Amino acid sequence: MSSGHREDAPRQVTLTSLAEMKSRGEPIVMVTAYDHPSARLADEVGVDLVLVGDSAANVVLGYTSTVPVTVAEMLMLTSAVRRGVHRGLVVADLPFGSYEASDEQAVRTAQRFIKKAGADAVKLERGGSSVDRARAIVAAGIAVVGHVGLTPQAATSLGGYRAQGRTADQAENLIRDALALQDAGCFAIVVEAVPADVTALLMPLLNCIMIGIGAGSAADGQVLVWHDLLGLGTGRVAKFVRRFADLQTETSRGLSAYVEAVRERKFPAAEHTYSIAAEELTELRHRLAQ
Ligand code: KIV
């Protein structure tokens, strides 16, 4: 009986295969996505982890921070992404206010993302009480990603969207948070906007996977926000973003061409139009004339 396994098929990403990548020193790629076509593209080009980040609040829902995004909104986006990802792992961000109050709340919310939206894992932000929440979710059998450094849900208390861990005190606290999240059972930790030297000091202390964003090149892997890396959006981007494409210009060019073609009646052309048999048209004209 065939197992359905094809030797040439791209290997399914699992927590084990990610750990193997780490031990081989093979860089791990994570990207955010918020809809089905983007998720499908990310999966097709071999992204290992697709993060349905609560950055969706800013980049697709038009909020000015990640704080207002709701569980319902994130569930809908996660479901769409899930339908597009067949090889990689889908990680869903737990929105602000959906997990902090108690372990019970955290487990219940995480279960909704796994059960209703099909996520493979959830991500939560900060150390402190989030360490207990992470431990509780892991104990409930759900894979968890931690997030330290610049944690946008707590941007106000961090003094804004700025690099973290730039003093020995701050960096020591950050390292303690990361180790506590690892101890709580997180299989990966996102480290955001942290000096590369601090990342390099943290790396040998972590057995779990470290995914950097604005944290230098020492991490096991990297993550970027879809809209930032593809140049979709006109706002200022963080220092750590590299634009790998300029889809804003390309999209604007395409849309302008569409507007112009419609206004000048150059679209639709004959090749975009359906036909009707001559006798049917004659019959229709005849009926309308009566
Ligand atoms: O919400 C998000 O997109 C994130 C990444 C920046 C890591 O948390």
Side-chain angles (χ1 to χ4, degrees), residues 30 32 34 51-56 66 93 123 125 147 152 190 192 213 223-225 240:
M30 183 189 234
T32 68
Y34 317 98
L51 170 65
V52 190
D54 61 354
S55 50
T66 57
D93 250 338
K123 177 166 87 56
E125 292 191 4
H147 185 160
V190 169
E192 179 166 353
I213 172 165
V223 58
L224 278 180
V225 167
F240 54 74

Side-chain angles (χ1 to χ4, degrees), residues 214-269:
S217 58
D220 297 303
Q222 298 290 327
V223 58
L224 278 180
V225 167
W226 183 271
H227 293 63
D228 291 346
L229 87 94
L230 292 176
L232 268 168
T234 49
R236 200 181 66 85
V237 291
K239 172 186 168 70
F240 54 74
V241 170
R242 173 167 158 200
R243 289 211 189 281
F244 289 83
D246 181 7
L247 295 195
Q248 181 75 24
T249 305
E250 198 48 36
T251 306
S252 178
R253 193 178 291 139
L255 273 175
S256 301
Y258 167 65
V259 169
E260 195 180 311
V262 171
R263 296 212 193 287
E264 294 179 1
R265 297 194 185 282
K266 289 182 177 160
F267 176 83

Side-chain angles (χ1 to χ4, degrees), residues 11-13 16-30 46-49 87 203 209-211 217-222:
R11 210 156 56 104
Q12 194 71 34
V13 179
T16 309
S17 71
L18 290 171
E20 286 166 0
M21 286 177 80
K22 177 184 171 84
S23 63
R24 288 195 298 266
E26 211 177 298
I28 294 168
V29 184
M30 183 189 234
V47 164
D48 302 302
L49 295 144
R87 174 189 166 271
M203 253 309 270
I209 293 157
M210 195 212 290
I211 308 276
S217 58
D220 297 303
Q222 298 290 327

Side-chain angles (χ1 to χ4, degrees), residues 185-218:
C186 290
F187 77 92
I189 298 177
V190 169
V191 180
E192 179 166 353
V194 166
D197 287 333
V198 175
T199 307
L201 287 173
L202 174 57
M203 253 309 270
L205 305 178
L206 282 186
N207 301 316
C208 72
I209 293 157
M210 195 212 290
I211 308 276
I213 172 165
S217 58

